[in-house]
Amino acid sequence: MKSRIREALYIGLFDALPLLRDPMLLVVISLFSFLPVIFIFVFADAASAMQSLIGAIVLTFSFTGLFASQSVYFNKQWFRFQDMLVASKVSPASYAVGLSVSGLVVALPGVLVALALLLLSGPSTAIGIVLLLATSLLLWIGLVFVGFAIGATTKNARRANSIPQVLSIAMGFLPPVYYPLSRLPAIAQPFAMLIPTTHAAQLAKYYFGLIQLPASELVIGWAYLLGFAALMGFLASRRAHWVDP
Amino acid sequence: MEVVRVEGLGKTYPGGTKALEDVSFSIQKGEIFCLLGRNGAGKTTLLRILATQLKPTLGRASVLGHDVLADPEAIRPHIAVVPQEARPQMLLSPYDHILYFCLIRGQSRTQARERTKKVMEDLGLWEHRDKLASDLSGGLRQRLIIAMAMVADPEVLFLDEPTIGLDPLGRRSVWHMLRELTRKGATILLTTHYLDEAEILADHLLIVDKGRTAFLGTVAEAKGDTGIGMRVIVEPAAGNGTAAPEVLEPQSAEEVLAIVERGLREKRKVTFKPASLEEAFIKIVGGSIEVENT
């Protein structure tokens, strides 16, 4: 078990190393999800800025999950490191975990800065932070599976870059993650609830006391995120292969 | 000692493409075994099956006594692969690549540093250790990929067109390295399109065509079986620049002597051209091309 964790750690570090070796790029990437917060902070009230900060943390996790697709694609089809690692004692689970956490390693500085800002900007409870991280991690797991399914299916570098970017707009910037669900017209709100990032953001905002939700919506939110992760896990297991069929 | 054994191996991809059909051979310890064939002949498919990266659909294959399908975990710690068209991560140095592959393969940090230095020195990469891979020549990048495979000190090394894109000196340094490895007991299976490479390196070779065995044997046998002998080229006499050179295929020593005597008498340049593997390959695979075109 210890050796498997070590393998995963080094695979993750190796995958993240190009960014870790370039601090300027690291700053840009780790703070990418937080840029809209600055505009909301300048042009809206403090409560909206808090909502957007929580939304940014949720999205940082979801983007790193989605962009696992690039790691999967490039390691398999471009560098062909996956083939080299299959022919070694490295386990497929270590490889999958390693590629998944490499994005988190890169995003960690931004998340830590955001959490520090949250703690400084108002009353935050430890349980609020734990539940915010729990919803974000559950969403991240589901989107890592999406990333693996995309990365394993994509056959060219152009698509490997464009598909996660299009999905990040559709799942990050359009739905009510940075802004409150109530700002959407009533007719659009049920459609927004089809997107997993909306559920994660709603839960996280609730646990920080920024919005009120009935108990039934809390249950639906968690069930949706769990179901999404399970479904995407099944999809990824059908698409991503360690040994080609 | 038999290191690789393949019996009636076949592979049909999920889409229905038949890549291999009934291929059988074995490789002995310390051999360099070359796989030759046209593009799409099934070489990479065969190599990937033996390297436990692809599942066969027919027949059996074993490496180091373990079945590739039933027991791949027993094979993997003892092998390494240089995949076709593998390339380094351009924003990392050669040192980073090799060190991390050592660490991923389970070596301690001290062992990994020592092994990295040794492999880089052996492959002439040490002086380039801190450059970015993007600043390396094509040959050095390829050597880096080979070095990454070498960190495990594999018993069996699979190389898929390892010298493609290398300059003549780069190719020779890879050949030298492969010979050194076999001297230490490693067994090598490599695919190549360079027939001079196969001619120099191969202890045995397999020519696959349309997924089937077209030839299995030594280089000498390939030349012998196809009946390709020595060719003698007699250049036109001086002052007769428009005439084409004569290409002769002497069948006996007497005929060779007669040609040489004629060259001396007529003051014509005589060149001996030994039979090449390329000619044998074209004759072996060419038959199928002719059938294909009719």
Side-chain angles (χ1 to χ4, degrees), chain B residues 230-235 244-250 259 262 268 271 273 279:
Chain B
M230 183 195 291
R231 287 184 185 171
V232 183
I233 299 159
V234 184
E235 302 289 342
E246 285 178 62
V247 181
L248 306 165
E249 287 186 27
I259 294 167
R262 183 158 67 91
R268 292 168 70 180
T271 314
K273 194 176 169 227
E279 287 163 313

XYZ file of all heavy atoms in Angstrom, chain B residues 230-235 244-250 259 262 268 271 273 279:
157
model
N 25.625 -12.441 -54.670
C 26.449 -11.254 -54.886
C 26.200 -10.659 -56.276
O 25.987 -11.400 -57.234
C 27.923 -11.636 -54.744
C 28.858 -10.464 -54.865
S 30.525 -11.005 -55.129
C 30.890 -11.716 -53.559
N 26.212 -9.359 -56.371
C 26.093 -8.704 -57.673
C 27.416 -8.035 -58.004
O 28.071 -7.499 -57.113
C 24.996 -7.645 -57.637
C 23.629 -8.303 -57.618
C 22.555 -7.303 -57.680
N 21.281 -8.026 -57.534
C 20.125 -7.440 -57.379
N 20.038 -6.134 -57.375
N 19.024 -8.143 -57.260
N 27.779 -8.083 -59.281
C 29.006 -7.423 -59.721
C 28.613 -6.377 -60.762
O 27.893 -6.679 -61.722
C 29.989 -8.438 -60.337
C 31.304 -7.752 -60.719
C 30.266 -9.585 -59.370
N 29.073 -5.150 -60.503
C 28.722 -4.059 -61.417
C 29.976 -3.710 -62.225
O 31.024 -3.384 -61.647
C 28.214 -2.833 -60.645
C 26.943 -3.249 -59.858
C 27.905 -1.658 -61.569
C 26.617 -2.381 -58.710
N 29.864 -3.807 -63.535
C 30.997 -3.482 -64.416
C 30.671 -2.164 -65.109
O 29.703 -2.055 -65.868
C 31.220 -4.603 -65.460
C 32.457 -4.317 -66.296
C 31.348 -5.965 -64.770
N 31.474 -1.141 -64.757
C 31.233 0.205 -65.303
C 31.622 0.236 -66.787
O 32.463 -0.554 -67.233
C 32.081 1.239 -64.541
C 31.832 1.286 -63.039
C 30.482 1.880 -62.664
O 29.875 2.569 -63.513
O 30.022 1.629 -61.537
N 25.221 2.166 -70.186
C 24.802 1.818 -68.818
C 25.749 0.768 -68.245
O 26.296 -0.043 -68.997
C 23.391 1.257 -68.856
N 25.983 0.769 -66.916
C 26.835 -0.271 -66.346
C 26.160 -1.644 -66.435
O 24.942 -1.746 -66.463
C 26.993 0.162 -64.884
C 25.929 1.148 -64.621
C 25.466 1.705 -65.916
N 26.996 -2.681 -66.542
C 26.458 -4.055 -66.584
C 26.297 -4.537 -65.140
O 27.214 -4.367 -64.326
C 27.458 -4.991 -67.254
C 27.540 -4.867 -68.753
C 28.616 -5.839 -69.271
O 28.446 -7.062 -69.080
O 29.621 -5.342 -69.823
N 25.154 -5.129 -64.828
C 24.947 -5.717 -63.495
C 24.870 -7.224 -63.666
O 23.980 -7.741 -64.334
C 23.664 -5.180 -62.832
C 23.495 -5.791 -61.431
C 23.695 -3.660 -62.744
N 25.867 -7.919 -63.093
C 25.968 -9.365 -63.294
C 25.757 -10.101 -61.975
O 26.038 -9.555 -60.899
C 27.350 -9.708 -63.857
C 27.727 -8.938 -65.137
C 29.209 -9.056 -65.402
C 26.924 -9.445 -66.323
N 25.266 -11.311 -62.053
C 25.066 -12.131 -60.842
C 25.811 -13.449 -61.017
O 25.241 -14.450 -61.439
C 23.576 -12.385 -60.608
C 22.837 -11.156 -60.116
C 21.383 -11.441 -59.744
O 21.078 -12.590 -59.382
O 20.584 -10.511 -59.838
N 27.124 -13.451 -60.718
C 27.912 -14.684 -60.912
C 27.449 -15.786 -59.972
O 27.128 -15.526 -58.819
C 29.336 -14.233 -60.576
C 29.177 -13.029 -59.720
C 27.922 -12.359 -60.154
N 34.883 -12.359 -64.693
C 34.426 -10.952 -64.756
C 35.576 -10.011 -64.392
O 35.801 -8.982 -65.029
C 33.217 -10.735 -63.815
C 31.999 -11.526 -64.319
C 32.858 -9.252 -63.728
C 30.864 -11.642 -63.307
N 38.032 -9.791 -67.218
C 37.501 -8.959 -68.315
C 37.619 -7.471 -67.964
O 38.013 -6.645 -68.782
C 36.030 -9.322 -68.562
C 35.404 -8.578 -69.729
C 34.194 -9.307 -70.268
N 33.074 -9.340 -69.325
C 32.122 -8.418 -69.277
N 32.155 -7.383 -70.111
N 31.145 -8.516 -68.420
N 37.992 -1.578 -67.217
C 36.699 -1.121 -66.720
C 36.642 -1.354 -65.192
O 37.192 -2.338 -64.693
C 35.572 -1.881 -67.409
C 35.481 -1.507 -68.880
C 34.591 -2.451 -69.634
N 33.193 -2.306 -69.272
C 32.200 -3.025 -69.802
N 32.466 -3.930 -70.727
N 30.956 -2.831 -69.428
N 32.849 -3.382 -59.494
C 32.458 -3.201 -58.097
C 31.666 -4.427 -57.644
O 30.762 -4.871 -58.361
C 31.564 -1.947 -57.938
O 32.150 -0.878 -58.647
C 31.383 -1.565 -56.477
N 29.021 -6.046 -55.073
C 27.947 -5.612 -54.163
C 27.346 -6.853 -53.502
O 26.622 -7.615 -54.151
C 26.886 -4.853 -54.968
C 25.916 -4.091 -54.107
C 24.954 -3.283 -54.941
C 23.850 -2.755 -54.047
N 22.555 -2.959 -54.586
N 17.296 -6.245 -50.251
C 16.883 -6.972 -51.463
C 16.067 -8.211 -51.099
O 15.048 -8.510 -51.725
C 18.115 -7.359 -52.278
C 18.746 -6.165 -52.972
C 20.162 -6.457 -53.433
O 20.951 -7.004 -52.644
O 20.461 -6.127 -54.576
